[in-house]
Amino acid sequence: MSTPQAHLVDDDEAIRDALAWLLQSREIASIAYDSAEKFIADWHPEMSGCVVLDMRLSGMSGLDCFDQLLAKNSTLPVIFLTGHGDVPLAVNTLKKGAFDFFEKPLNDNELASRIEEAMALDATQRAANATVDSVKSRISRLTTREKQIMELVVAGKYNKV
């Protein structure tokens, strides 16, 4: 698994720099991308943290990037930023699974707090998934007879039965 980071995707250099500085002041690791295409090219399933994604980007839009992440089964929480938001757009992105939606100009402290919450959620989900994967791995190593016994024990039978 990679180091948890806030992945900042915005084509405006001033916004990227301001967000990176804000997060650095809160001791939150971040990495910036100037396009959705570059972020998607770097994305891998082990990537952890969260994504702060501008809705309107030159090239691939933030919404298209989000759709690609969903298609890749990404579990990274996504926080959208936009200077041109409207209620239906916000509702649509939240229904699709976005973590949050901020309209520019925004409250820096509120955004930083939500990024921390998104990163904590990601860490919790990854820990839970690791536990499930560990259990599945152990179950897959059981013999046929051990699986039969386990099924009976789970059904409430005593081991001697």
Side-chain angles (χ1 to χ4, degrees):
M1 183 173 76
S2 63
T3 303
Q5 299 181 83
H7 303 273
L8 311 174
V9 185
D10 200 309
D11 55 0
D12 184 331
E13 184 177 6
I15 298 286
R16 286 192 315 270
D17 290 346
L19 289 173
W21 180 84
L22 170 67
L23 297 179
Q24 183 180 13
S25 73
R26 291 264 192 121
E27 298 181 357
I28 300 171
S30 67
I31 183 168
Y33 300 88
D34 63 3
S35 72
E37 290 86 354
K38 287 182 182 175
F39 174 69
I40 290 294
D42 280 357
W43 180 88
H44 53 87
E46 294 80 31
M47 201 177 258
S48 62
C50 73
V51 182
V52 180
L53 183 59
D54 188 26
M55 186 64 74
R56 291 193 180 185
L57 298 164
S58 54
M60 182 190 303
S61 74
L63 203 51
D64 289 340
C65 179
F66 184 53
D67 289 340
Q68 283 199 26
L69 289 173
L70 293 175
K72 293 173 182 272
N73 295 317
S74 172
T75 59
L76 286 172
V78 176
I79 298 172
F80 278 101
L81 304 179
T82 186
H84 309 282
D86 57 25
V87 173
L89 181 63
V91 169
N92 183 41
T93 57
L94 294 172
K95 280 184 176 179
K96 287 175 99 174
F99 185 77
D100 211 336
F101 188 98
F102 283 84
E103 193 168 3
K104 299 174 189 172
L106 47 92
N107 179 311
D108 293 351
N109 289 322
E110 207 175 294
L111 175 62
S113 293
R114 287 301 281 164
I115 289 171
E116 289 174 333
E117 292 169 19
M119 292 178 75
L121 173 67
D122 183 59
T124 300
Q125 289 175 332
R126 287 180 185 281
N129 289 342
T131 300
V132 168
D133 291 345
S134 173
V135 169
K136 285 180 180 178
S137 173
R138 285 185 273 158
I139 289 173
S140 73
R141 292 191 302 259
L142 294 176
T143 66
T144 302
R145 182 65 184 143
E146 289 169 331
K147 287 179 185 177
Q148 291 170 344
I149 293 169
M150 182 189 73
E151 287 173 8
L152 292 171
V153 170
V154 169
K157 306 291 183 190
Y158 291 106
N159 195 23
K160 64 183 176 182
V161 171

